[in-house]
Short mmCIF file of all heavy atoms in Angstrom, two decimals:
data_model
loop_
_atom_site.label_atom_id
_atom_site.label_comp_id
_atom_site.label_asym_id
_atom_site.label_seq_id
_atom_site.Cartn_x
_atom_site.Cartn_y
_atom_site.Cartn_z
N LEU A 501 -34.95 1.95 -1.15
CA LEU A 501 -33.79 2.91 -1.08
C LEU A 501 -34.30 4.29 -0.72
O LEU A 501 -35.37 4.73 -1.22
CB LEU A 501 -33.09 2.92 -2.43
CG LEU A 501 -32.31 1.71 -2.86
CD1 LEU A 501 -32.07 1.64 -4.31
CD2 LEU A 501 -30.97 1.67 -2.12
N LYS A 502 -33.48 5.00 0.06
CA LYS A 502 -33.85 6.42 0.39
C LYS A 502 -33.09 7.35 -0.58
O LYS A 502 -31.96 7.06 -0.92
CB LYS A 502 -33.36 6.67 1.87
CG LYS A 502 -34.30 6.10 2.86
CD LYS A 502 -33.83 6.47 4.31
CE LYS A 502 -33.17 5.25 4.88
NZ LYS A 502 -32.28 5.53 6.05
N PRO A 503 -33.79 8.40 -1.04
CA PRO A 503 -33.03 9.33 -1.88
C PRO A 503 -31.95 10.13 -1.10
O PRO A 503 -32.00 10.26 0.08
CB PRO A 503 -34.13 10.34 -2.33
CG PRO A 503 -35.14 10.26 -1.25
CD PRO A 503 -35.10 8.88 -0.68
N ALA A 504 -30.87 10.51 -1.80
CA ALA A 504 -29.83 11.33 -1.23
C ALA A 504 -29.18 12.13 -2.37
O ALA A 504 -28.85 11.61 -3.39
CB ALA A 504 -28.79 10.46 -0.50
N ASP A 505 -29.03 13.43 -2.05
CA ASP A 505 -28.35 14.29 -3.11
C ASP A 505 -26.88 14.01 -3.15
O ASP A 505 -26.27 13.55 -2.20
CB ASP A 505 -28.60 15.76 -2.72
CG ASP A 505 -30.05 16.13 -2.63
OD1 ASP A 505 -30.92 15.32 -3.15
OD2 ASP A 505 -30.43 17.15 -2.06
N TYR A 522 -24.86 6.17 -10.16
CA TYR A 522 -25.68 6.58 -8.95
C TYR A 522 -26.99 7.06 -9.44
O TYR A 522 -28.03 6.85 -8.75
CB TYR A 522 -24.88 7.68 -8.17
CG TYR A 522 -25.62 8.05 -6.92
CD1 TYR A 522 -25.65 7.18 -5.79
CD2 TYR A 522 -26.27 9.25 -6.82
CE1 TYR A 522 -26.33 7.53 -4.65
CE2 TYR A 522 -26.98 9.65 -5.69
CZ TYR A 522 -26.98 8.78 -4.57
OH TYR A 522 -27.63 9.12 -3.40
N MET A 523 -27.10 7.73 -10.57
CA MET A 523 -28.36 8.26 -11.06
C MET A 523 -29.34 7.10 -11.32
O MET A 523 -30.51 7.16 -10.93
CB MET A 523 -28.14 9.10 -12.32
CG MET A 523 -29.42 9.78 -12.80
SD MET A 523 -29.25 10.70 -14.37
CE MET A 523 -28.22 12.04 -13.87
N ALA A 524 -28.79 6.06 -11.93
CA ALA A 524 -29.66 4.87 -12.17
C ALA A 524 -30.23 4.35 -10.83
O ALA A 524 -31.42 4.06 -10.69
CB ALA A 524 -28.83 3.79 -12.89
N VAL A 525 -29.34 4.31 -9.81
CA VAL A 525 -29.83 3.78 -8.51
C VAL A 525 -30.93 4.74 -7.91
O VAL A 525 -31.95 4.24 -7.40
CB VAL A 525 -28.63 3.73 -7.52
CG1 VAL A 525 -29.10 3.25 -6.13
CG2 VAL A 525 -27.51 2.78 -8.00
N MET A 526 -30.73 5.98 -8.08
CA MET A 526 -31.69 6.99 -7.58
C MET A 526 -33.08 6.90 -8.23
O MET A 526 -34.12 7.31 -7.68
CB MET A 526 -31.15 8.34 -7.58
CG MET A 526 -30.10 8.60 -6.50
SD MET A 526 -30.72 8.33 -4.82
CE MET A 526 -30.16 6.65 -4.60
N THR A 527 -33.17 6.28 -9.46
CA THR A 527 -34.48 6.08 -10.03
C THR A 527 -35.30 5.15 -9.23
O THR A 527 -36.54 5.10 -9.34
CB THR A 527 -34.32 5.57 -11.50
OG1 THR A 527 -33.85 4.24 -11.44
CG2 THR A 527 -33.46 6.44 -12.37
N GLN A 528 -34.63 4.36 -8.37
CA GLN A 528 -35.38 3.41 -7.58
C GLN A 528 -35.50 3.76 -6.11
O GLN A 528 -35.94 3.02 -5.26
CB GLN A 528 -34.63 2.03 -7.66
CG GLN A 528 -34.53 1.46 -9.05
CD GLN A 528 -35.88 1.46 -9.74
OE1 GLN A 528 -36.81 0.80 -9.30
NE2 GLN A 528 -36.00 2.32 -10.83
N ALA A 529 -35.13 5.05 -5.78
CA ALA A 529 -35.25 5.54 -4.43
C ALA A 529 -36.64 6.16 -4.26
O ALA A 529 -37.17 6.75 -5.19
CB ALA A 529 -34.14 6.52 -4.12
N ALA A 530 -37.17 6.04 -3.07
CA ALA A 530 -38.51 6.60 -2.76
C ALA A 530 -38.38 8.08 -2.48
O ALA A 530 -38.29 8.52 -1.32
CB ALA A 530 -39.08 5.83 -1.61
N GLY A 531 -38.46 8.93 -3.52
CA GLY A 531 -38.43 10.36 -3.34
C GLY A 531 -37.55 11.03 -4.35
O GLY A 531 -37.11 10.44 -5.35
N ILE A 532 -37.20 12.32 -4.10
CA ILE A 532 -36.46 13.14 -5.05
C ILE A 532 -35.04 13.25 -4.62
O ILE A 532 -34.75 13.53 -3.41
CB ILE A 532 -37.10 14.47 -5.27
CG1 ILE A 532 -38.54 14.38 -5.74
CG2 ILE A 532 -36.27 15.37 -6.10
CD1 ILE A 532 -39.30 15.63 -5.79
N SER A 533 -34.09 13.04 -5.51
CA SER A 533 -32.67 13.28 -5.23
C SER A 533 -32.12 14.19 -6.34
O SER A 533 -32.53 14.12 -7.48
CB SER A 533 -31.88 12.03 -5.13
OG SER A 533 -32.12 11.24 -6.33
N THR A 534 -31.15 15.05 -5.95
CA THR A 534 -30.55 15.89 -7.00
C THR A 534 -29.08 15.43 -7.17
O THR A 534 -28.41 15.11 -6.22
CB THR A 534 -30.55 17.43 -6.63
OG1 THR A 534 -29.78 17.53 -5.45
CG2 THR A 534 -31.96 17.90 -6.37
N ILE A 535 -28.61 15.52 -8.42
CA ILE A 535 -27.28 15.08 -8.76
C ILE A 535 -26.62 16.28 -9.49
O ILE A 535 -27.07 16.73 -10.53
CB ILE A 535 -27.23 13.84 -9.66
CG1 ILE A 535 -27.87 12.66 -8.84
CG2 ILE A 535 -25.86 13.52 -10.14
CD1 ILE A 535 -28.00 11.36 -9.65
N VAL A 547 -29.05 10.46 -19.48
CA VAL A 547 -30.37 10.82 -18.97
C VAL A 547 -31.49 10.47 -20.06
O VAL A 547 -32.49 9.85 -19.78
CB VAL A 547 -30.49 12.28 -18.58
CG1 VAL A 547 -31.88 12.71 -18.30
CG2 VAL A 547 -29.54 12.56 -17.37
N LEU A 550 -32.10 6.81 -20.09
CA LEU A 550 -32.77 6.33 -18.89
C LEU A 550 -34.29 6.72 -19.00
O LEU A 550 -35.17 6.01 -18.62
CB LEU A 550 -32.12 6.91 -17.63
CG LEU A 550 -30.76 6.34 -17.28
CD1 LEU A 550 -30.19 7.19 -16.12
CD2 LEU A 550 -30.83 4.86 -16.90
N GLN A 551 -34.52 7.97 -19.55
CA GLN A 551 -35.91 8.39 -19.74
C GLN A 551 -36.64 7.51 -20.69
O GLN A 551 -37.78 7.21 -20.52
CB GLN A 551 -35.94 9.85 -20.22
CG GLN A 551 -35.49 10.88 -19.14
CD GLN A 551 -35.23 12.25 -19.72
OE1 GLN A 551 -34.91 12.39 -20.89
NE2 GLN A 551 -35.37 13.26 -18.80
N MET A 553 -36.34 4.52 -20.65
CA MET A 553 -36.69 3.34 -19.87
C MET A 553 -37.73 3.74 -18.80
O MET A 553 -37.93 3.08 -17.78
CB MET A 553 -35.47 2.74 -19.21
CG MET A 553 -34.42 2.22 -20.25
SD MET A 553 -32.95 1.61 -19.51
CE MET A 553 -33.52 0.00 -18.84
N ARG A 554 -38.32 4.90 -18.96
CA ARG A 554 -39.37 5.43 -18.15
C ARG A 554 -38.88 6.08 -16.88
O ARG A 554 -39.63 6.35 -15.94
CB ARG A 554 -40.38 4.32 -17.78
CG ARG A 554 -41.82 4.78 -17.73
CD ARG A 554 -42.85 3.68 -17.64
NE ARG A 554 -42.45 2.58 -16.79
CZ ARG A 554 -43.07 1.39 -16.91
NH1 ARG A 554 -44.06 1.19 -17.81
NH2 ARG A 554 -42.71 0.37 -16.22
N ALA A 555 -37.55 6.38 -16.77
CA ALA A 555 -37.07 7.07 -15.60
C ALA A 555 -37.63 8.53 -15.60
O ALA A 555 -37.77 9.10 -16.69
CB ALA A 555 -35.54 7.09 -15.59
N ASP A 556 -37.88 9.07 -14.40
CA ASP A 556 -38.41 10.42 -14.30
C ASP A 556 -37.29 11.33 -13.84
O ASP A 556 -36.98 11.42 -12.66
CB ASP A 556 -39.55 10.41 -13.28
CG ASP A 556 -40.21 11.78 -13.18
OD1 ASP A 556 -39.67 12.72 -13.74
OD2 ASP A 556 -41.25 11.89 -12.45
N ILE A 557 -36.60 11.95 -14.79
CA ILE A 557 -35.40 12.80 -14.49
C ILE A 557 -35.59 14.15 -15.17
O ILE A 557 -35.95 14.17 -16.38
CB ILE A 557 -34.12 12.09 -14.95
CG1 ILE A 557 -33.99 10.73 -14.37
CG2 ILE A 557 -32.88 12.99 -14.65
CD1 ILE A 557 -32.86 9.90 -15.00
N LYS A 558 -35.33 15.24 -14.44
CA LYS A 558 -35.41 16.57 -15.00
C LYS A 558 -34.04 17.25 -14.95
O LYS A 558 -33.39 17.08 -13.88
CB LYS A 558 -36.48 17.42 -14.30
CG LYS A 558 -37.87 16.84 -14.44
CD LYS A 558 -38.91 17.59 -13.70
CE LYS A 558 -40.34 16.95 -13.90
NZ LYS A 558 -40.32 15.52 -13.56
N ILE A 559 -33.61 17.87 -16.05
CA ILE A 559 -32.32 18.49 -16.05
C ILE A 559 -32.45 20.00 -15.87
O ILE A 559 -33.23 20.64 -16.55
CB ILE A 559 -31.60 18.20 -17.39
CG1 ILE A 559 -31.38 16.76 -17.63
CG2 ILE A 559 -30.24 18.94 -17.42
CD1 ILE A 559 -30.29 16.12 -16.86
N HIS A 560 -31.66 20.55 -14.95
CA HIS A 560 -31.60 22.08 -14.83
C HIS A 560 -30.11 22.41 -14.89
O HIS A 560 -29.39 22.31 -13.85
CB HIS A 560 -32.16 22.46 -13.44
CG HIS A 560 -33.49 21.83 -13.13
ND1 HIS A 560 -34.64 22.19 -13.75
CD2 HIS A 560 -33.83 20.87 -12.25
CE1 HIS A 560 -35.67 21.45 -13.29
NE2 HIS A 560 -35.19 20.66 -12.42
N ILE A 563 -27.51 20.25 -13.00
CA ILE A 563 -28.22 19.49 -11.93
C ILE A 563 -29.26 18.63 -12.51
O ILE A 563 -30.09 19.12 -13.31
CB ILE A 563 -28.76 20.49 -10.90
CG1 ILE A 563 -27.55 21.15 -10.18
CG2 ILE A 563 -29.60 19.75 -9.90
CD1 ILE A 563 -27.99 22.14 -9.07
N ALA A 564 -29.27 17.37 -12.14
CA ALA A 564 -30.36 16.44 -12.53
C ALA A 564 -31.18 16.20 -11.34
O ALA A 564 -30.69 15.90 -10.21
CB ALA A 564 -29.75 15.16 -13.05
N GLU A 565 -32.59 16.23 -11.55
CA GLU A 565 -33.47 15.94 -10.42
C GLU A 565 -34.14 14.62 -10.71
O GLU A 565 -34.79 14.48 -11.77
CB GLU A 565 -34.55 17.02 -10.42
CG GLU A 565 -35.29 17.30 -9.14
CD GLU A 565 -36.29 18.38 -9.32
OE1 GLU A 565 -37.36 18.16 -9.90
OE2 GLU A 565 -35.93 19.58 -9.06
N VAL A 566 -33.89 13.65 -9.88
CA VAL A 566 -34.39 12.29 -10.08
C VAL A 566 -35.50 12.01 -9.25
O VAL A 566 -35.43 12.11 -8.01
CB VAL A 566 -33.20 11.26 -9.85
CG1 VAL A 566 -33.70 9.89 -10.27
CG2 VAL A 566 -31.95 11.61 -10.59
N HIS A 567 -36.69 11.72 -9.83
CA HIS A 567 -37.89 11.37 -9.06
C HIS A 567 -38.08 9.86 -9.02
O HIS A 567 -38.12 9.25 -10.12
CB HIS A 567 -39.11 12.06 -9.75
CG HIS A 567 -39.03 13.54 -9.76
ND1 HIS A 567 -39.98 14.35 -9.10
CD2 HIS A 567 -38.21 14.35 -10.33
CE1 HIS A 567 -39.66 15.60 -9.24
NE2 HIS A 567 -38.56 15.71 -9.99
N GLY A 568 -38.12 9.40 -7.86
CA GLY A 568 -38.23 7.91 -7.73
C GLY A 568 -39.41 7.59 -6.81
O GLY A 568 -40.05 8.50 -6.26
N ARG A 569 -39.84 6.54 -6.66
CA ARG A 569 -39.38 5.24 -7.15
C ARG A 569 -40.16 4.93 -8.43
O ARG A 569 -41.36 4.92 -8.39
CB ARG A 569 -39.63 4.16 -6.11
CG ARG A 569 -39.12 2.83 -6.46
CD ARG A 569 -39.34 1.82 -5.34
NE ARG A 569 -38.60 0.58 -5.66
CZ ARG A 569 -38.89 -0.59 -5.00
NH1 ARG A 569 -39.92 -0.56 -4.11
NH2 ARG A 569 -38.25 -1.66 -5.26
N THR A 570 -39.44 4.78 -9.55
CA THR A 570 -40.16 4.64 -10.83
C THR A 570 -39.89 3.23 -11.40
O THR A 570 -38.69 2.91 -11.60
CB THR A 570 -39.61 5.64 -11.85
OG1 THR A 570 -39.56 6.93 -11.24
CG2 THR A 570 -40.50 5.70 -13.15
N PRO A 571 -40.88 2.40 -11.61
CA PRO A 571 -40.60 1.07 -12.16
C PRO A 571 -40.06 1.29 -13.61
O PRO A 571 -40.73 1.90 -14.44
CB PRO A 571 -41.93 0.36 -12.18
CG PRO A 571 -42.93 1.28 -11.64
CD PRO A 571 -42.27 2.61 -11.36
N LEU A 572 -38.86 0.82 -13.89
CA LEU A 572 -38.31 1.00 -15.19
C LEU A 572 -38.76 -0.10 -16.15
O LEU A 572 -39.09 -1.20 -15.75
CB LEU A 572 -36.74 0.96 -15.09
CG LEU A 572 -36.05 2.03 -14.25
CD1 LEU A 572 -34.58 1.92 -14.30
CD2 LEU A 572 -36.55 3.46 -14.68
#
Side-chain angles (χ1 to χ4, degrees):
L501 289 159
K502 284 182 256 163
D505 300 345
Y522 184 72
M523 187 184 290
V525 177
M526 284 302 96
T527 65
Q528 299 310 298
I532 300 174
S533 52
T534 63
I535 296 177
V547 171
L550 289 172
Q551 288 168 335
M553 299 176 75
R554 218 170 34 199
D556 182 355
I557 304 170
K558 297 177 179 53
I559 301 281
H560 312 287
I563 294 182
E565 200 180 83
V566 185
H567 296 244
R569 185 178 189 197
T570 314
L572 299 181

